[in-house]
């Protein structure tokens, strides 16, 4: 009898550990169609791997909030989440919490991905996360309205955008749409504003906040000029509420047909073309405008998300298998075709189905490979603080609390204190 109880207890314990060992939880984004796409992918994995359960944990839309949630799991060294969707700016800040995927089979597949992203995700020779999708800022524009108001194509410079947006807005309002705005973008005080403002500054030949060599460059005349221009949009061609907008807030206004231009990531393309969208068939995308300064060129911020396996996972082998499956060719292809999420696997940019579904993956390929990186590698493990100082300074200008010259001078002091880096000699 005693033997029976012992063996029963053992069997139950084994069954329990087997059950928990066969469950993988993926913390994933839910912006646009992201959640539905990853849930469908998890279902495909489970179909191919009976006995494994893949749970998808829905996480906040704004990168800063998502990071806050992840830090709570890491702080507790929690095994609850096995795979984390991490931002392209996080490998340096978060590397201690992840296993080296080179030790879990990634070495065989990394060669398929953009080398720059693999390099970004590799810290001290350890692959912190496998690239999943990449991102770059784009200008969405209404082809029907450009034609209606006699414009040949999208604006080449920010001042052209300002004028075109104003003309279209005035015209649409005069025809009775009082909800219509010229230009929507991401102006809330969060990581998204860092992306938009880096685009303005880089496009105006104003550098990239902190340069890869570790010099603080943000306090310069070209940056000041373009940030003041952006502040002039708030309440004129952009709604006053834009200083509280994230990606989805901008997309909702755009997709309802109430904006002439939108700055957003590629994911908004496929949603804009879907049934029920007021802009289906009447919009296109282009590179963002160049700054008006001499030497101004269009600039897109590099974004994108990776999959890393937690060091605190109870089953890193299985978790890595799930991560590599989600980031595989076939899965990235589905995400590209159905969700216009940019693959990180180079060959997919030559895949006919992908190019048919999202033509600009081909026509704007250069935008994706030349995107400007945020200074996350140079400032790790303090990038999150650097970015928060930056977007707070920009936000203070957008909301009229400071002028750009004052805000960027103060920001320079903060960045020196935070990083110990020198300033760039003008
Ligand atoms: C997108 C980008 C990401 C960026 C975020 C900011 O999700 O892919 O890199 O940090 O937007 O809102």
């Amino acid at each position: 009898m005693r033997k029976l109880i012992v063996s029963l207890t053992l069997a139950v314990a084994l069954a329990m550990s087997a059950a928990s060992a066969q469950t993988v939880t993926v913390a994933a984004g839910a912006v646009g169609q992201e959640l539905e796409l990853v849930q469908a992918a998890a279902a495909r994995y489970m179909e191919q791997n009976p006995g494994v359960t893949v749970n998808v944990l829905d996480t906040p839309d704004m990168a800063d909030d998502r990071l806050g949630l992840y830090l709570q799991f890491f702080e507790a060294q929690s095994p609850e989440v096995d795979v984390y969707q991490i931002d392209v700016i996080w490998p340096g800040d978060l590397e201690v919490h992840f296993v080296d995927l080179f030790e879990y089979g990634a070495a065989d597949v990394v060669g398929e991905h953009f080398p720059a992203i693999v390099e970004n995700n590799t810290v001290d020779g350890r692959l912190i996360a496998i690239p999943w999708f990449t991102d770059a800022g784009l200008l969405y524009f209404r082809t029907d309205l450009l034609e209606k108001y006699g414009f040949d194509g999208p604006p080449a410079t920010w001042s052209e955008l300002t004028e075109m947006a104003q003309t279209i807005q005035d015209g649409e309002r005069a025809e009775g749409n009082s909800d219509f705005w010229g230009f929507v973008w991401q102006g809330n005080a969060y990581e998204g504003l860092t992306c938009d403002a880096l685009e303005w500054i880089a496009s105006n030949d104003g550098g990239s906040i902190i340069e890869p060599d570790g010099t603080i460059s943000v306090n310069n005349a070209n940056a000041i000029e373009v940030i003041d221009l952006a502040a002039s949009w708030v309440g004129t061609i952009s709604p006053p509420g834009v200083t509280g907008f994230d990606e989805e807030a901008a997309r909702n206004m755009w997709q309802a047909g109430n904006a002439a231009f939108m700055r957003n990531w590629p994911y908004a393309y496929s949603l804009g073309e879907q049934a029920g969208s007021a802009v289906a068939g009447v919009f296109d995308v282009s590179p963002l405008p160049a700054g008006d300064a001499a030497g101004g060129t269009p600039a897109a911020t590099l974004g994108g998300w990776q999959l890393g396996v937690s060091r605190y996972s109870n089953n890193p082998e299985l978790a890595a298998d799930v991560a590599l499956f989600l980031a595989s060719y076939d899965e990235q292809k589905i995400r590209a075709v159905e969700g216009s999420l940019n693959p990180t696997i180079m060959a997919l940019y030559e895949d006919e189905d992908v190019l048919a579904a999202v033509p600009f993956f081909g026509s704007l390929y250069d935008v994706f490979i030349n995107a400007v990186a945020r200074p996350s590698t140079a400032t790790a493990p303090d990038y999150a603080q650097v970015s928060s100082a930056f977007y707070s300074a920009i936000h203070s200008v957008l909301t009229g609390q400071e002028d750009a010259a004052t805000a960027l001078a103060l920001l320079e002091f903060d960045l020196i204190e935070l990083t110990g880096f020198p300033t760039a000699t003008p």
Side-chain angles (χ1 to χ4, degrees), residues 14-94:
L14 276 176
M16 279 174 65
S17 76
S20 66
Q22 295 303 100
T23 296
V24 171
T25 299
V26 181
V31 176
Q33 309 179 85
E34 277 186 75
L35 191 64
E36 294 72 21
L37 287 168
V38 67
Q39 280 166 341
R44 284 188 289 274
Y45 184 90
M46 291 189 278
E47 211 178 290
Q48 291 171 29
N49 297 275
V52 179
T53 304
V54 179
N55 291 325
V56 178
L57 182 75
D58 170 359
T59 63
D61 276 3
M62 286 205 235
D64 310 65
D65 297 341
R66 197 177 294 169
L67 180 61
L69 174 71
Y70 289 6
L71 290 174
Q72 288 176 27
F73 283 115
F74 294 145
E75 179 78 9
Q77 307 204 348
S78 167
E80 264 172 80
V81 175
D82 302 280
V83 178
Y84 288 88
Q85 171 177 338
I86 67 166
D87 202 331
V88 69
I89 49 184
W90 295 345
D93 281 16
L94 299 183

Side-chain angles (χ1 to χ4, degrees), residues 140 142 145 169 173 177-187 233 235-264 267-268 271-272 276-280 282-283:
Y140 287 73
R142 288 282 299 273
L145 296 179
Q169 180 178 305
R173 288 198 185 182
N177 184 356
S178 55
D179 294 331
F180 195 90
W181 290 96
F183 183 34
V184 292
W185 38 279
Q186 293 74 46
W233 297 332
T236 57
I237 58 166
S238 303
V242 78
T243 55
F245 273 21
D246 65 359
E247 285 80 0
E248 289 290 81
R251 184 176 67 82
N252 288 337
M253 194 171 267
W254 159 261
Q255 220 171 282
N258 287 332
F261 297 103
M262 170 175 74
R263 183 275 177 206
N264 217 324
Y267 84 96
L271 287 158
S277 157
V279 298
V282 293
F283 77 94

Side-chain angles (χ1 to χ4, degrees), residues 69-349:
L69 174 71
Y70 289 6
L71 290 174
Q72 288 176 27
F73 283 115
F74 294 145
E75 179 78 9
Q77 307 204 348
S78 167
E80 264 172 80
V81 175
D82 302 280
V83 178
Y84 288 88
Q85 171 177 338
I86 67 166
D87 202 331
V88 69
I89 49 184
W90 295 345
D93 281 16
L94 299 183
E95 58 120 350
V96 295
H97 304 294
F98 291 95
V99 305
D100 175 7
L101 286 177
F102 281 137
E103 292 177 5
Y104 293 89
D108 298 337
V109 292
V110 279
E112 298 168 16
H113 297 258
F114 286 119
I117 305 178
V118 173
E119 193 186 319
N120 176 81
N121 296 2
T122 306
V123 183
D124 296 331
R126 301 171 66 244
L127 185 68
I128 303 309
I130 189 82
W132 195 21
F133 66 101
T134 186
D135 252 345
L138 299 171
L139 184 71
Y140 287 73
F141 62 95
R142 288 282 299 273
T143 47
D144 56 339
L145 296 179
L146 257 56
E147 203 188 313
K148 177 171 169 188
Y149 292 92
F151 298 114
D152 293 339
T157 62
W158 290 114
S159 62
E160 254 176 66
L161 176 136
T162 309
E163 282 167 31
M164 289 166 72
Q166 189 72 60
T167 304
I168 300 173
Q169 180 178 305
D170 291 347
E172 292 303 291
R173 288 198 185 182
E175 284 182 19
N177 184 356
S178 55
D179 294 331
F180 195 90
W181 290 96
F183 183 34
V184 292
W185 38 279
Q186 293 74 46
N188 202 342
Y190 81 117
E191 188 61 36
L193 177 56
T194 291
C195 297
D196 287 36
L198 171 60
E199 282 159 355
W200 306 331
I201 294 175
S203 74
N204 209 38
D205 199 21
S208 55
I209 313 168
I210 295 177
E211 303 309 306
D213 69 358
T215 49
I216 299 166
S217 64
V218 72
N219 186 16
N220 68 75
N222 286 2
I224 292 167
E225 177 188 66
V226 76
I227 298 303
D228 277 332
L229 175 67
S232 79
W233 297 332
V234 179
T236 57
I237 58 166
S238 303
V242 78
T243 55
F245 273 21
D246 65 359
E247 285 80 0
E248 289 290 81
R251 184 176 67 82
N252 288 337
M253 194 171 267
W254 159 261
Q255 220 171 282
N258 287 332
F261 297 103
M262 170 175 74
R263 183 275 177 206
N264 217 324
W265 308 101
Y267 84 96
Y269 182 84
S270 126
L271 287 158
E273 289 294 15
Q274 282 173 15
S277 157
V279 298
V282 293
F283 77 94
D284 206 346
V285 292
S286 74
L288 288 161
D292 294 279
T297 45
T301 295
L302 175 70
W305 294 84
Q306 343 295 316
L307 293 167
V309 170
S310 168
R311 172 164 276 180
Y312 319 113
S313 165
N314 286 329
N315 195 343
E317 286 83 12
L318 186 61
D321 194 60
V322 171
L324 294 181
F325 169 85
L326 294 174
S328 66
Y329 187 102
D330 289 349
E331 289 299 320
Q332 289 204 6
K333 177 167 174 172
I334 295 171
R335 295 167 63 80
V337 170
E338 291 180 10
S340 57
L341 292 170
N342 281 65
T344 59
I345 294 179
M346 293 175 282
L348 280 165
Y349 288 83

